[in-house]
Amino acid sequence: MGSDSHNVIEVRGARHNNLADVSLDIPKRRLTVFTGVSGSGKSSLVFGTIAAESRRLLNETYTAYVQGHLPSMSRPDVDALRNLSVALVVDQERMGSNSRSTVGTATDAQTMLRVVFSRLGDPHIGPSSAFSFNTPEGACPVCEGHGYVSDIDVDAVLDRRKSLNEGAITAPHTGIGSWYWQIITGSGYFDPDKKLADFTEQEWDDLLERPATKMRKGDSKATYEGLLVKMRRHFLTKDRDALRPDLRAYVDKIATFTHCRSCDGTRLNPAALSSRIAGRNIAECAAMQVDDLAAFVRDLDTPSVGPVLAALSSTLDSLVEIGLGYLSLDRESSTLSGGEAQRVKTVRHLGSSLSDVTYVFDEPTVGLHPHDVQRMNGLLLRLRDNGNTVLVVEHKPEVVEIADHVVDLGPGAGSAGGHVCYTGDVAGLRASDTVTGRYLDHRVELRSAPREPSGRLPITGASLHNLRDVSVDIPLGVLTVVTGVSGAGKTSLVHGSLGKRDDVVVVDQSAIRGSRRSNPATYTGMLDPIRTSFAKANKVKAALFSANSEGACPRCKGLGVIYTDLAMMAGVSSVCEDCGGKRYTAEVLAHTLRGKNISQVLAMPVAEALEFFPSGRVHAVLARLADVGLGYLRLGQPLNTLSGGERQRLKLAIHMGEGAATYVLDEPTAGLHLADVDQLLALLDRLVDGGSTVVVVEHHQAVMAHADWLIDIGPGAGHDGGRVVFTGTPAELVADADTYTAQHLRKYLRR
């Protein structure tokens, strides 16, 4: 039958971003891994073309009203895409910031746990909704199911060292002589000349918490109320966004979030907390580590809820299998890292009955120790074996090797990429002369002579999160790698202990603040000297060369695109017809610098701009960007298009110019091709040889092997981790240790 022939996704003439008219066939119901150096076009093909068109076509099946509530998606630049199936993107975007979203709610494990408690809980208190902190029946009435309450930071609104007559209260409209001050000082509850620090417990209660009390003040009546009672009423009970900007800023300064004392942070009301199974209530179960909860659920052999228990066990076991057994169901989704969020999303899809779906993964091994990568591989293969097409953008050889099919893009990055260099099986890739093929079996050797430290930076008694009173010395003047399985406590140790020191620069993968006008040129400060160069060459004002100022195209106001609101239908963005997306007026574009106008310069990749600016401040910044592997980035590329790894390397390039004493890097190999890791290692060496101390939280075996000193945290994750299981040179780890890290580093070096 004709339908049986639909066994490949046909891509014809893809030109999205840097793709060079790419045409290829991708087998369906197979695991295909897309490889290539950073910036070669992998994401443009997989996410920007295949997944984007699938989602756009799916959105078009809805009514115009529904489409109006969906994000607008333009058709990717491609001649034809055939045989697409519904694409589900499992990316590294942080999960929603809604405080009501937890690991339990995101995976439906909490819902199943509620059903179990509604059937087996003693005493029986009602349906499953009675155990939900997101319903009125189950939520704590004080915090309304949030687990915490807003309150006023007392020391932010008064000065304990002063008396009332000396102006101890600093809140708005409460100063000396104000009506509220007159009521307080005339209340008779306390001596207005007495320092607040000397107040009795009763006086403090009267000052802060006394409810509204009628009293006479001379011939008139007045109402006295405690300071916190008054401020909660004026500030915390009102919609924050409805306040004046100055009051909104003040509320942000004085407001504090504390655990709800009524429910002790469990979010649930007393009735929900009273029901127990085997001595535990639902909040205690949700607070358990997932691997412990999985064992608890397995012991509940009750036929009446057998199907629910089986489904709950399957979900919990999947979380353990994917290396997230150290999490708890009550962990807020917003606190998960990008890699953790991606793995939680993966678990949500594993139990799905859907088949013939295209699952698209963006580096699913980010944040995973080699010990955990095998677990992720197993999940990818399970999705494939369920009859789905699995497309994975990945650099790790361990993932490439399980692929049924490989598509290698390149040969370079940016304008030097966008071509299909190889398509076929893994054996063929290994035999090919592509960069990926050559580096697939590449190994970094151990240092023959590790550098000697110039001193020690002691960490004593670290107890953040799962750390168990950890004390360890960080050697100065060398490259130290902190490693261990996911959830072992590496980040807690390094960021919790080193990140707060004045001479330490922390370079992480967090989002860079800025609008859609922000780009590498503005973020690094290069745009100012570039504009100055244009101004001098053309004898005009530098402001002309700013797309946010005088030189901006008046129609699109320097954005390069026009956003059109189509009322009930989805809004669309289109390239500005006046400037053609160049963002500047024709008058500005007529001014050139060595034959290039400002728009053409901002369209240059870093590597090309390095040659265009052969010296000076701009050249120095560009050289650092190239050093961190960002030679393919365009100077005017919007920052919101950068991956977490690219953001981190951009920050590192900026901080490199500061000559900091200590650099702390969080997985700098994220998003780096095997060929780029060597360049990163050379960069880290330059920082150390320049007199800095470099501490790297990392899983990549090449970085471990290259280190002068290793600190291995473990032995497991969560409450099974939090201890230093090894500290010493990589050679000592390989020779003597028996940790997970030692096992995988030995295997890496032996290949």
Side-chain angles (χ1 to χ4, degrees), residues 2 7 35 84 90 164 244 420 439 442 460 501 513 542 554 714:
N7 54 9
T35 61
L84 290 177
V90 189
L164 293 172
R244 294 200 322 260
V420 176
Y439 271 86
H442 176 64
T460 55
R501 300 184 186 236
R513 298 192 175 209

Side-chain angles (χ1 to χ4, degrees), residues 533-612:
S533 298
F534 268 93
K536 286 182 179 178
N538 294 277
K539 296 182 173 55
V540 292
K541 292 188 297 183
L544 272 180
F545 301 98
S546 170
N548 302 328
S549 186
E550 295 181 30
C553 166
R555 184 172 184 188
C556 66
K557 298 184 172 52
L559 282 174
V561 292
I562 302 289
Y563 291 92
T564 307
D565 182 6
L566 298 181
M568 65 180 292
M569 294 187 68
V572 297
S573 63
S574 56
V575 175
C576 175
E577 294 180 3
D578 283 13
C579 68
K582 295 177 180 176
R583 304 175 62 192
Y584 294 90
T585 64
E587 175 197 355
V588 173
L589 296 177
H591 298 304
T592 62
L593 176 66
R594 296 190 290 280
K596 301 282 188 183
N597 64 37
I598 184 69
S599 181
Q600 291 170 325
V601 167
L602 291 178
M604 287 180 179
V606 167
E608 182 183 340
L610 256 175
E611 299 177 9
F612 189 77

Side-chain angles (χ1 to χ4, degrees), residues 525-527 529-530 533 609-610 613 615-623 635:
M526 280 190 292
L527 189 57
I530 289 174
S533 298
L610 256 175
F613 295 100
S615 62
R617 180 176 153 200
V618 175
H619 181 85
V621 177
L622 290 169
L635 303 193

Side-chain angles (χ1 to χ4, degrees), residues 393-530:
V393 174
E394 186 55 84
H395 296 292
K396 293 272 178 69
E398 298 96 324
V399 180
V400 176
E401 285 169 0
I402 68 163
D404 302 308
H405 189 76
V406 179
V407 176
D408 189 47
L409 290 164
S415 59
H419 299 273
V420 176
C421 298
Y422 172 82
T423 178
D425 61 13
V426 179
L429 174 68
R430 188 172 267 111
S432 70
D433 193 33
T434 64
V435 176
T436 304
R438 292 195 299 272
Y439 271 86
L440 205 54
D441 295 313
H442 176 64
R443 297 292 175 265
V444 172
E445 298 298 324
L446 292 174
R447 284 186 182 276
S448 56
R451 286 171 284 225
E452 288 296 323
S454 58
R456 301 279 171 181
L457 185 64
I459 294 175
T460 55
S463 308
L464 182 64
H465 298 145
N466 68 328
L467 295 177
R468 303 189 178 190
D469 196 28
V470 170
S471 295
V472 66
D473 288 340
I474 304 290
L476 298 175
V478 300
L479 172 60
T480 298
V481 172
V482 180
T483 187
V485 297
S486 305
K490 305 179 298 297
T491 302
S492 299
L493 176 67
V494 175
H495 291 280
S497 302
L498 292 182
K500 299 171 185 174
R501 300 184 186 236
D502 293 336
D503 58 346
V504 173
V505 169
V506 177
V507 188
D508 58 20
Q509 298 181 26
S510 60
I512 295 172
R513 298 192 175 209
S515 68
R516 57 189 170 207
R517 295 176 180 271
S518 302
N519 53 52
T522 58
Y523 185 69
T524 60
M526 280 190 292
L527 189 57
D528 287 339
I530 289 174

Side-chain angles (χ1 to χ4, degrees), residues 91-384:
D91 57 21
Q92 296 172 33
E93 287 297 315
R94 298 291 181 97
M95 299 180 79
S97 57
N98 189 335
S99 63
R100 294 186 178 276
S101 173
T102 65
V103 171
T105 60
T107 58
D108 287 336
Q110 189 74 24
T111 304
M112 292 182 273
L113 190 63
R114 289 195 285 110
V115 173
V116 172
F117 266 85
S118 69
R119 302 294 191 275
L120 305 181
D122 183 29
H124 175 74
I125 66 162
S128 64
S129 59
F131 293 93
S132 172
F133 48 77
N134 289 329
T135 64
E137 303 101 291
C140 167
V142 176
C143 65
E144 298 179 333
H146 286 285
Y148 56 82
V149 290
S150 304
D151 209 346
I152 305 294
D153 181 357
V154 175
D155 289 312
V157 295
L158 50 79
D159 186 343
R160 298 171 188 259
R161 298 167 299 178
K162 296 180 179 179
S163 67
L164 293 172
N165 281 340
E166 292 172 329
I169 301 177
T170 59
H173 314 302
T174 60
I176 296 174
S178 67
W179 177 247
Y180 183 69
W181 176 85
Q182 292 178 40
I183 293 174
I184 286 183
T185 53
S187 66
Y189 293 128
F190 20 66
D191 179 358
D193 289 316
K194 186 177 183 179
K195 307 286 187 189
L196 298 195
D198 298 329
F199 271 26
T200 64
E201 189 172 333
Q202 181 60 50
E203 288 172 326
W204 268 111
D205 191 61
D206 288 334
L207 176 65
L208 301 177
E209 301 288 357
R210 176 171 280 275
T213 305
K214 299 286 186 183
M215 56 180 291
R216 294 199 66 84
K217 187 178 186 310
D219 295 333
S220 60
K221 292 181 179 179
T223 300
Y224 174 92
E225 60 182 338
L227 178 63
L228 294 188
V229 175
K230 176 184 174 69
M231 296 197 70
R232 290 179 192 128
R233 180 169 57 84
H234 276 283
F235 296 126
L236 297 187
T237 60
K238 294 182 179 178
D239 180 10
R240 175 187 173 279
D241 294 330
L243 297 172
R244 294 200 322 260
D246 58 326
L247 291 180
R248 196 183 312 148
Y250 181 71
V251 170
D252 290 342
K253 188 171 72 172
I254 65 169
T256 181
F257 293 98
T258 58
H259 256 17
C260 175
R261 285 181 290 185
S262 177
C263 66
D264 195 26
T266 63
R267 304 166 175 243
L268 295 166
N269 61 30
L273 295 173
S274 68
S275 184
R276 294 179 177 270
I277 298 176
R280 297 181 185 274
N281 64 31
I282 191 169
E284 290 167 341
C285 287
M288 294 169 71
Q289 276 199 189
V290 165
D291 49 8
D292 292 336
L293 180 59
F296 176 81
V297 171
R298 275 194 294 272
D299 291 338
L300 302 178
D301 187 12
T302 310
S304 62
V305 287
V308 179
L309 286 173
L312 177 57
S313 286
S314 176
T315 298
L316 296 174
D317 288 343
S318 293
L319 283 167
V320 174
E321 183 183 349
I322 208 168
L324 295 178
Y326 60 90
L327 296 180
S328 57
L329 296 189
D330 63 0
R331 172 88 172 260
E332 285 192 22
S333 302
S334 60
T335 66
L336 300 176
S337 69
E340 287 171 333
Q342 187 179 33
R343 299 198 290 282
V344 166
K345 295 173 194 172
T346 305
V347 169
R348 198 163 53 192
H349 296 303
L350 278 174
S352 173
S353 299
L354 291 173
S355 182
D356 249 332
V357 172
T358 297
Y359 287 99
V360 185
F361 286 87
D362 183 15
E363 287 194 72
T365 62
V366 163
L368 284 183
H369 188 273
H371 177 68
D372 301 312
V373 170
Q374 304 306 323
R375 295 170 163 180
M376 174 55 81
N377 281 350
L379 293 178
L380 295 175
L381 293 171
R382 274 174 59 188
L383 281 174
R384 178 204 65 185

Side-chain angles (χ1 to χ4, degrees), residues 55-85:
R55 298 178 84 170
R56 188 186 72 85
L57 293 173
L58 181 64
N59 287 359
E60 285 190 351
T61 65
Y62 299 115
T63 63
Y65 175 78
V66 173
Q67 288 184 49
H69 292 80
L70 297 172
S72 62
M73 305 183 81
S74 58
R75 188 181 187 280
D77 189 2
V78 60
D79 290 338
L81 283 171
R82 303 187 189 97
N83 306 334
L84 290 177
S85 57

